[in-house]
Amino acid sequence: MVILWTDGLIFTLVLAIAISVGMMLRKPHFKRPLAKITQSKTSMVSLVILLCFAGVGLLDSVHYKDSRTGEIISLLDHVAKPLTEQTERTYSAPFSAYLYSKEMIIHDDGREKWDYPRLKYGAAHLDNPAQQKWPDILSKAAIGLGKGVLLALLLYLVFWMIRGRKSAEPYRPASKAALLTLFAIISLFYMLAYLSHWYHVLGTDKVGEDVFYQTLKSIRTGLVIGTLTTLMMLPLAIGFGIMAGFFRGWVDDVIQFIYTTLNSIPGVLLIAASILMVQVYMANHPEQFASVLIRADMRLLFLCLILGVTSWTGLCRMLRAETLKVREMEFVQAAESLGVTRPTILIRHILPNVMHIVLISVVLDFSSLVLAEAVLSYINIGVDPTTYSWGNMINGARLEMARDPVVWWPLSAAFLFMFTLVLAANLFADTVRNAFDPRRAEHG
Amino acid sequence: MIQYIIRRVAYAIPLLLAVNILTFILFFVVNSPDDMARMQLGQKHVTEQAINNWKHQHGYDLPLLWNAEKSGLEKLRQTIFYQKSIGLFLFDFGISDSGRNIGHDISERMWPSLALALPSLIVGLLVNITVALMMVLFRNSYLEFGTIVLCVILMSISSLFYIIGGQFVFGKLLKLVPISGYDSGLSAIKFLLLPIIISVISGLGSGARWYRTLFLEEVEKDYVRTARAKGLSEVQVLFRHVLRNAMIPILTGVVVVLPLLFMGSLIMESFFSIPGLGSYTIDAINRQDFAIVRSMVFLGSVLYILGLLMTDISYTLVDPRVRLS
């Protein structure tokens, strides 16, 4: 078991989320917004999708040393072992039996021919791909789908046995939709996994690596950027925000000065400078980073840290404004006149009353951070080039789109996964905002 | 009013100083003047003498922030920081590490940036407001629902996909516009068309939704009900009352980004190889040309502070209730 820095933080975050959700469930004033979220079909469906992404990400966050090769791999690598091992020489289209580029093929009888060679793994079990390929794909897909459906049904059965005993409450439409989504995801995913034993379902990239595997690995990077950045910025934003609003005077002046300064530096330039700094540090101290993976992980963490430093100002300003309002309310003044100490007022009275803003902005920021990662990787100031990420895939796609015939599959794969994740996050964020924003709460 | 502006300008000085110190430290933690010299001279085996010469030529042969050898104020003055910053405050950007005049480069590259950014902003604003007004006019209908869904979908797609997709479809397949490049004068239009359309579309999702919430907030106010009660049609209400009142947050939101338009868009410009300030900055980052990056950071901060000031002033202009103090 090897715990990388981001792994540790991710699991801390999962724990923190679990605890805070548990606490929210017990507080009565959270009941109404939470009920609103669980009753909405879109929010439940997108939540299920997000959880599936999170599941893949978590699976990819449990690292250990492989006893055979001595490399650090994750559980996801272990599960997807066939995908990592079945590498071709270069590009090949999804479900293709042939390589993308022509090569000189030497037949058994010594003849030479300039043609597309067969793939080493993709559709290698077929004798005559031109005729057998599509029937074979269809039948394999049907078998895979069938197995997937069976698996999903089995899971339901277990779930039903646990749940069914306890409550006789009928299914609501929202939970029905959520269960259906889960059902579809499990079946489809199982089908793709089953098919990828024989085919490269999303093709292979320039060095012949399976694109499906790459997109799955990229999920973790996207999630880490989206969540850990928030984790980094929250202490700054909350601490400074409510202190500036509560103490006012010189504390307010100093904090405002800090965030105006940070804000007025163009964000990209600040990130670029910091990433360059990290790069130089890593180049000068290679002994501190035992492997490429650890180095890439540190860079990912730094990126989150820097994104956090550049993005806390917005939330800080909102919290300051809200605290200015809350501190004038009667209950705060009552607490003050009763002699409650200031730190206690801050934590017991002010903080809980601005928490909804924090929650909303955390959920809203997630999708923009996932999108920002791609842009930053494009300017070469994002994640390490060896890290699997959608940004790096898109970056590579610029040259691929200029080839003839067009290599469209890495870009499409990155697009599909990124779009699904961001769309789900956006839809979920909308319902969360509608549920928790008191101004929107009245009109349904 | 004038007093207020003077006070704000005075407040900007410590801000800019802080920005300067921050970027200075960030970049000099990264590489010492020796490293910079080696990088700019570009040879593997550079003699000590050549490095010293380069440092002397570009004024990097002084201590960073504090010169202990001198006395009095000279302790502060005879440093790289002081020498390199004082020019910035006078908007004299000096010579870049690769030997070009930065001020001249900026004044030349500003125009392509502006030619891309200004139409993008104006067209984007018009389209966003139109879509948002339409959604409010047909609120609680399938049309509104469909538009919202479209907006969410549009904002869930990374801008990189719009650019790559747009270049591929319109540039490569349909050959309607050149894929990238730039030309002077009016012939630049055909190069700018696609970037402008793409930036409008990529901003449409979030923009239209944001304006919709602004309009919806206004629609529920009492004066709107009064306007309806006195017999105005819904369209009249929207254009005469709602739009005019919602213009306050919209205008001030636009004013704050106006000065920053000069900085150009990093992504768009480098994808479409438009020789603006955005691509200038990216090139400088990749070449680690410290002098250019620092000038751009300084310029960006000045423009941002200017934007904030203009926002405050525009508040008093459009909303007579606001008084500056």
Side-chain angles (χ1 to χ4, degrees):
Chain A
M1 186 83 181
V2 182
I3 296 183
L4 298 176
W5 269 96
T6 46
D7 292 346
L9 286 171
I10 284 181
F11 285 108
T12 322
L13 192 72
V14 170
L15 200 70
I17 292 176
I19 291 174
S20 48
V21 168
M23 269 165 65
M24 271 161 64
L25 283 177
R26 268 195 270 144
K27 295 266 165 67
H29 62 278
F30 276 122
K31 276 233 169 85
R32 191 196 55 83
L34 282 180
K36 208 164 170 185
I37 293 174
T38 48
Q39 275 160 15
S40 151
K41 263 191 211 173
T42 25
S43 83
M44 287 313 276
V45 169
S46 41
L47 183 64
V48 167
I49 295 173
L50 285 180
L51 286 178
C52 289
F53 272 103
V56 177
L58 285 180
L59 209 60
D60 201 8
S61 301
V62 185
H63 287 90
Y64 61 93
K65 236 187 187 110
D66 191 32
S67 50
R68 209 154 39 85
T69 57
E71 279 176 59
I72 299 174
I73 60 169
S74 71
L75 271 185
L76 182 73
D77 295 324
H78 182 75
V79 177
K81 196 158 246 172
L83 287 179
T84 56
E85 284 169 352
Q86 296 176 357
T87 53
E88 309 289 346
R89 267 203 300 284
T90 182
Y91 293 117
S92 68
F95 290 112
S96 173
Y98 296 99
L99 216 56
Y100 167 81
S101 53
K102 286 189 175 179
E103 275 178 15
M104 193 63 81
I105 307 166
I106 304 169
H107 286 273
D108 298 336
D109 49 5
R111 278 182 303 118
E112 286 185 5
K113 204 179 155 204
W114 183 250
D115 203 359
Y116 298 106
R118 285 289 298 271
L119 291 180
K120 240 188 297 174
Y121 298 97
H125 62 292
L126 302 177
D127 296 326
N128 182 6
Q131 284 165 18
Q132 294 170 327
K133 196 174 86 176
W134 287 110
D136 184 65
I137 290 173
L138 284 180
S139 64
K140 289 233 158 61
I143 298 172
L145 193 63
K147 282 188 177 173
V149 169
L150 276 181
L151 178 73
L153 285 177
L154 200 71
L155 284 179
Y156 275 1
L157 204 66
V158 176
F159 176 70
W160 178 76
M161 275 165 54
I162 300 168
R163 181 188 178 279
R165 301 273 161 76
K166 278 190 195 156
S167 70
E169 190 186 338
Y171 285 108
R172 285 176 308 209
S175 31
K176 219 183 244 172
L179 286 178
L180 270 178
T181 319
L182 189 65
F183 185 83
I185 291 177
I186 291 179
S187 326
L188 277 178
F189 191 78
Y190 192 89
M191 186 183 88
L192 282 181
Y194 185 76
L195 272 174
S196 57
H197 281 284
W198 292 280
Y199 297 96
H200 298 289
V201 284
L202 293 175
T204 54
D205 77 339
K206 191 170 183 183
V207 291
E209 211 172 20
D210 196 285
V211 174
F212 186 43
Y213 171 71
Q214 288 185 344
T215 38
L216 285 183
K217 290 287 278 185
S218 305
I219 290 175
R220 177 175 184 271
T221 314
L223 290 178
V224 165
I225 299 258
T227 52
L228 287 193
T229 304
T230 318
L231 192 73
M232 304 284 177
M233 83 174 201
L234 276 189
L236 280 175
I238 296 180
F240 281 164
I242 61 175
M243 263 162 54
F246 186 70
F247 292 116
R248 298 198 286 200
W250 66 270
V251 180
D252 191 17
D253 288 341
V254 169
I255 291 172
Q256 277 199 54
F257 182 76
I258 294 174
Y259 75 60
T260 321
T261 307
L262 272 179
N263 244 0
S264 57
I265 301 179
V268 181
L269 294 183
L270 193 61
I271 296 169
S274 319
I275 285 288
L276 283 179
M277 191 177 82
V278 174
Q279 261 175 340
V280 170
Y281 179 82
M282 283 174 173
N284 292 340
H285 302 85
E287 71 282 352
Q288 291 179 14
F289 306 101
S291 74
V292 181
L293 188 70
I294 293 175
R295 209 184 64 207
D297 184 69
M298 279 316 280
R299 182 160 163 175
L300 184 63
L301 189 67
F302 266 107
L303 186 66
C304 294
L305 193 74
I306 296 158
L307 276 173
V309 169
T310 55
S311 63
W312 62 274
T313 48
L315 178 62
C316 181
R317 189 179 300 175
M318 279 193 280
L319 285 177
R320 175 179 166 270
E322 189 69 15
T323 312
L324 279 175
K325 265 188 244 163
V326 173
R327 79 187 292 274
E328 299 302 327
M329 289 193 175
E330 282 90 352
F331 64 89
V332 177
Q333 286 175 348
E336 243 169 21
S337 54
L338 283 172
V340 182
T341 58
R342 288 186 143 189
T344 322
I345 295 182
L346 264 184
I347 293 170
R348 299 271 324 249
H349 299 286
I350 307 259
L351 189 60
N353 282 298
V354 297
M355 240 12 218
H356 66 277
I357 296 185
V358 176
L359 190 79
I360 293 169
S361 105
V362 163
V363 187
L364 277 179
D365 278 352
F366 175 81
S367 53
S368 56
L369 284 170
V370 176
L371 292 177
E373 183 272 321
V375 173
L376 290 179
S377 300
Y378 162 72
I379 332 179
N380 283 328
I381 52 175
V383 294
D384 196 84
T386 58
T387 310
Y388 294 104
S389 89
W390 290 316
N392 283 339
M393 286 173 80
I394 299 169
N395 202 358
R398 293 180 69 214
L399 294 175
E400 289 158 4
M401 292 304 275
R403 278 169 174 261
D404 194 53
V406 179
V407 180
W408 49 270
W409 45 94
L411 183 72
S412 318
F415 173 77
L416 193 73
F417 277 71
M418 206 169 155
F419 176 65
T420 318
L421 176 64
V422 176
L423 184 66
N426 274 336
L427 289 174
F428 186 65
D430 269 1
T431 36
V432 168
R433 184 173 54 179
N434 284 339
F436 279 95
D437 193 340
R439 277 192 307 168
R440 291 160 189 260
E442 302 99 61
H443 10 269
Chain B
M1 183 78 165
I2 291 180
Q3 247 188 347
Y4 175 79
I5 293 175
I6 291 172
R7 209 145 36 91
R8 285 295 292 262
V9 172
Y11 182 63
I13 292 172
L15 269 181
L16 290 173
L17 206 63
V19 168
N20 248 323
I21 294 178
L22 199 66
T23 42
F24 187 82
I25 291 173
L26 263 180
F27 272 88
F28 275 99
V29 168
V30 176
N31 39 17
S32 63
D34 282 14
D35 295 335
M36 285 162 65
R38 249 179 233 118
M39 180 138 177
Q40 294 299 333
L41 290 170
Q43 297 136 9
K44 274 195 181 147
H45 304 289
V46 197
T47 56
E48 197 69 19
Q49 185 59 37
I51 291 178
N52 283 337
N53 273 346
W54 187 90
K55 272 162 65 180
H56 187 71
Q57 259 175 19
H58 290 83
Y60 286 118
D61 53 352
L62 295 167
L64 291 181
L65 284 166
W66 186 255
N67 196 340
E69 289 167 19
K70 299 281 180 335
S71 59
L73 266 182
E74 294 291 300
K75 273 186 198 272
L76 273 176
R77 270 212 208 132
Q78 290 298 322
T79 56
I80 300 178
F81 178 72
Y82 183 83
Q83 298 288 337
K84 295 272 161 188
S85 301
I86 198 73
L88 287 183
F89 278 94
L90 301 170
F91 288 97
D92 170 22
F93 297 113
I95 308 290
S96 79
D97 293 346
S98 51
R100 289 178 61 90
N101 186 328
I102 302 178
H104 179 72
D105 274 356
I106 289 179
S107 62
E108 209 168 59
R109 282 171 164 260
M110 201 169 78
W111 301 110
S113 280
L114 215 56
L116 172 63
L118 203 60
S120 308
L121 180 80
I122 294 171
V123 177
L125 200 63
L126 288 179
V127 172
N128 288 348
I129 290 180
T130 318
V131 173
L133 272 181
M134 200 192 69
M135 279 197 276
V136 175
L137 189 61
F138 295 100
R139 57 183 177 277
N140 303 326
S141 73
Y142 281 110
L143 187 67
E144 192 207 13
F145 181 73
T147 322
I148 291 179
V149 171
L150 189 70
C151 281
V152 178
I153 289 176
L154 280 181
M155 64 189 266
S156 304
I157 298 174
S158 165
S159 56
L160 295 176
F161 288 117
Y162 289 116
I163 298 174
I164 296 178
Q167 279 185 330
F168 183 69
V169 174
F170 295 105
K172 199 178 171 197
L173 287 185
L174 302 175
K175 294 202 169 54
L176 289 177
V177 286
I179 290 183
S180 66
Y182 195 72
D183 206 344
S184 55
L186 275 179
S187 43
I189 290 176
K190 65 173 189 283
F191 291 104
L192 289 176
L193 210 58
L194 186 62
I196 291 175
I197 293 176
I198 287 176
S199 56
V200 168
I201 292 179
S202 60
L204 177 65
S206 50
R209 267 166 47 108
W210 164 239
Y211 293 141
R212 175 177 162 267
T213 46
L214 288 183
F215 291 144
L216 278 183
E217 248 170 50
E218 289 295 323
V219 158
E220 277 154 22
K221 287 192 176 155
D222 288 340
Y223 73 89
V224 178
R225 201 181 308 147
T226 317
R228 270 196 217 114
K230 75 180 186 197
L232 288 185
S233 73
E234 189 66 29
V235 177
Q236 279 175 318
V237 170
L238 271 187
F239 277 90
R240 274 207 212 147
H241 295 281
V242 174
L243 183 59
R244 284 179 83 177
N245 279 296
M247 274 323 254
I248 296 175
I250 293 176
L251 264 187
T252 47
V254 169
V255 167
V256 80
V257 298
L258 267 185
L260 286 173
L261 289 184
F262 284 98
M263 300 289 288
S265 147
L266 296 179
I267 309 298
M268 282 290 177
E269 284 177 15
S270 60
F271 254 102
F272 290 96
S273 26
I274 292 168
L277 285 180
S279 48
Y280 188 56
T281 317
I282 289 209
D283 292 346
I285 292 174
N286 288 336
R287 277 204 318 264
Q288 307 206 358
D289 195 325
F290 172 68
I292 297 181
V293 174
R294 247 184 107 208
S295 311
M296 293 309 290
V297 169
F298 184 79
L299 194 64
S301 322
V302 171
L303 292 173
Y304 176 80
I305 293 168
L306 187 69
L308 289 184
L309 183 65
M310 280 164 62
T311 318
D312 284 348
I313 296 174
S314 67
Y315 261 123
T316 55
L317 293 182
V318 293
D319 191 344
R321 286 170 301 180
V322 178
R323 289 270 171 274
L324 297 179
S325 58

